[in-house]
Amino acid sequence: MSGCKDLSRRSFIKKTGIFLAGMQCVWPLPAWALSTSPGIEQRSPKSSYDLTIGYSPITIDGREGVSTGVNGSVPGPLVYLREGDDVTLRVTNELMDTKHASIHWHGILVPANMDGVPGVSYRGIPPGETYVYRYRVKQAGTYWYHSHSRFQEQTGTYGPLVILPKDGEPFTYDRDYPVVLSDWSFEDPEAIFRHINILGDYYNYQRRTVADFFKDVREMGLLDTIAERNAWGNMRMSPVDLADVTGHTYTFLMNGHSAGMNWTALFNPGETIRLRFINSSTMTNFDVRIPGLDMEVVMADGKAVKPVSVHEFRIGVAETYDVLVRPSKDQAFNIFAESLDRSGYTRGTLAPRAGMHVPPPALRPRPVRQLEKIGMGGMDDNIFGVMMGDMKHGDMQMDGQGKQPKQPDPRIPGPNGPEPFKPDDIGVNVIMVVNNPRYRLDEPGIGLGEDGWRVLVYDDLVSAEPQPYSTTVDREMTINITANMERYMFSFDGRKFTEQPGPYFFRHNERLRLFLVNHTMMEHPIHLHGMWMQMENGADKLPFKHTILTKPGGVVSALITPIERGDWAFHCHLLYHMEAGMFQVVRVA
Amino acid sequence: MHKLWHSVVLLVVCSVAIVAAAHAGETPDKTDEQTPLPQAYALPEDYKPIETHPKPGEGIQKYAEDAQSGAQANFGVQPIHDNEIFATLLVDRLEFQSREWTGAFVWDATGWVGTDYNKLYLESEGTILPNQLHVDEAMLELYYGRAVTKFWDIRAGVRWDVEPKPERVYAALGILGLAPYWFEVEANAYLSDQGNVTARLEVEYDIQITQRWILQPRFETNVAFQDVRKYNIGAGFNDFELGVRLRFEEARQYAPYIGLSWNRKLGETAKLANFDGEDISQLSVVLGLRLWFF
């Protein structure tokens, strides 16, 4: 037991590395994700990979299932590249009963036909065939890859992608661990999709009950409780509709391990450990903390930020955060990742020796959405938001009693802010329209920030990277995130993908300000392929993001320079929202 | 009164049919698997270069100029499928009612197949009286439903009363949806083959006692716009059912329940029933099973 501690880091990695290599045939996980992991070895980036997507067995908590893993494992192998290299990635589809498989390199700047989205960048990889991806790696950091074909991502077609910078890392550390968070279900994803389409809260076993009503009456008083129930009831939305698919069917995984299987990362006290958090979930936003340790966030979406010390951060689906931790004591720590709706968690352990663990903390209570937070607070907004849909009045900014429309938030950039969303025919697609979307990047998000510890907010992210793009904004565009949760229809600008008039248009090399206005009551992680979104959060150097977790009733603006011509996917990264229509093609020309 | 109702119903049925026809054949999913793989660094083959300068007076260009209407499907592959056909069957009530002396079996099921906008509904409701080994009432309804607003579908179709004899067939028109405060509402107007107009309203509401125990009040009423003596129906409100059912939702698919159901005949219909010696008011304890096939 105590022998490990005395070994130098290098010889430790060497020894465990050899030991674990021998174990690999017993447990079908790549070395970096093994139950007791030595992490990434620093000297091993390659420029050529062979990845095969095929049906392979998976065992979670003793139960066996079938996955669509990459090279036989979930998550797939670590694709470890070096910045500046020309890489070749050969991907073979051995899922013989599929129309196609695919791998998309999430967050990687590639030519359009290397992006891996069937129907946008290529035709997908037909069964039995191999597609050869070739591109020059123009960036460094923590990313991931996943299938963009139907629901293959849900059943395990994902893995971490790490790029070693050619000029060295901007910070120092002793150990390096990818931490891939994901959600696994033994149910067929087609069945999950069918269930939530037919009954939106099929998986919600945290609905509000009669007991909650009386609890609220005690706390808020009868009239306020009734008023609150009244407003939600009138809109026919639920304030506890936090996640469409929950821990009821999901087992949340960390590097392919359930909470009980307890993935463990080893350290020696006094070392600095880099944890590369990657949210590879299909539907689960996680809140991550390591009780007892400060986390220093040093990268967001693969790009360096000025270090921020936090105790907890929310990681939206498809986002990545690199954090440094410095445990000085000879004790074990939980790496604890709770789902946003508090229906479950996964955890791993940071430990000086294998086999150690501390009991995980309790799940916090399921939060309840507040009307004001989703932009429906106050009678004026509330009435407009609801009545626009029912009565199709075009402009009802004034309510006849002399109330002025709210002044736009000065933190929203641009001369005019986002273009108001006034659909000609609101139809069936849009349940709610937020007339005064708010700047919410300073908020930690629902269920966070009231525990007495410091939580990362988007406003904390200040880029530490060179800013190569023009500072003058050429053009502004507003994209509205819209939905009818009751009918499970998800859309942009009130149109599902198949109802769009055509692709959005970005001009090559222009500087575009894109407003994303979330007219729904849920968080949507919005992902733009092929180019960076620089989130306008008031920082002097804007952080680079490939995925932005938009808050309900909120507006986010991002500056974009489309650097590659061609067609690119733009979508909500909640897999079932995407498949239900929240998807668009962006044409750069 | 008769004539007016006939024409109103017919008019709405016709207009719904026209709307339905106009929207038939939406969103073709073209697949042309023969498209060859692209050359490295090539643009999609259906890509056309666009002028990179905005037209005068056109500050914001949101959509690509060469956009075809409908979804983008490069290489003949559609990236996502947001117009899928689903099907489900909800047997909302499958129960035994402890009516006086004998009791009755009641079923009430709704199934649909379709997309977000267009659905085909099949509904059935009926009563079996076990002591007489006899199907007392049996009704089958087939609707085409079109999503017209956020929460409401308009439905048009036919209703077929298999029992009581002689059989009757109706043209039916109605709405189905979610009213504010989550009341599930189904309201239909019927025009029978004999020219009689009737209507029916069903309202259900779920009260979440716990996550698994759900209390469901239920209200149903029938209205006739004229007397139909053959079936002991008088003009006006015929009857109502007020029920409350407590179910244990072991799974979404399977929920046994227990409850109370009060049936009461009203007005002229009650008088006619009374004349025939039938009960006009019945209070039953119900025991049943709710099944939902996804």
Side-chain angles (χ1 to χ4, degrees), chain A residues 262 264 332-334 347-351 353-360:
Chain A
N262 194 23
T264 301
F333 298 91
N334 269 306
R347 63 100 183 228
T349 300
L350 261 180
R353 293 169 297 279
M356 293 176 77
H357 75 98
V358 277

Side-chain angles (χ1 to χ4, degrees), chain A residues 53 55 68 92-102 117-119 122-130 147-152 190 579, chain B residues 27-35 37 73-82 84:
Chain A
I53 306 165
Y55 292 111
T68 53
T92 306
N93 176 12
E94 282 185 2
L95 305 169
M96 301 312 284
D97 58 348
T98 52
K99 268 191 185 167
H100 51 71
S102 55
V117 182
Y122 66 161
R123 63 165 177 151
I125 310 167
E129 288 188 23
T130 301
S147 171
H148 231 287
S149 300
R150 193 62 173 165
F151 300 136
Q152 287 164 15
E190 298 286 347
E579 203 67 20
Chain B
T27 59
D29 181 4
K30 39 181 177 164
T31 40
D32 172 17
E33 296 294 339
Q34 296 308 309
T35 318
L37 275 174
N74 294 347
F75 311 98
V77 177
Q78 199 174 299
I80 61 147
H81 301 85
D82 58 19
E84 209 168 318

Side-chain angles (χ1 to χ4, degrees), chain B residues 5-73:
Chain B
W5 265 99
H6 289 192
S7 35
V8 167
V9 169
L10 282 171
L11 193 69
V12 182
V13 170
C14 289
S15 48
V16 168
I18 290 163
V19 170
H23 286 86
E26 282 180 317
T27 59
D29 181 4
K30 39 181 177 164
T31 40
D32 172 17
E33 296 294 339
Q34 296 308 309
T35 318
L37 275 174
Q39 296 299 304
Y41 296 80
L43 293 167
E45 60 180 20
D46 54 356
Y47 163 82
K48 288 176 216 134
I50 301 169
E51 267 299 307
T52 51
H53 300 290
K55 285 178 186 166
E58 202 179 283
I60 299 166
Q61 187 189 340
K62 191 159 184 175
Y63 294 97
E65 274 183 296
D66 60 342
Q68 304 294 311
S69 62
Q72 207 48 31

Side-chain angles (χ1 to χ4, degrees), chain B residues 97 99 239-242 261-265 280-284:
Chain B
Q97 297 192 346
R99 292 186 186 173
D239 57 15
F240 67 81
E241 191 249 22
L242 199 58
S261 169
W262 179 34
N263 290 280
R264 176 83 160 83
K265 291 191 165 64
I280 60 163
S281 174
Q282 273 177 333
L283 184 67
S284 316

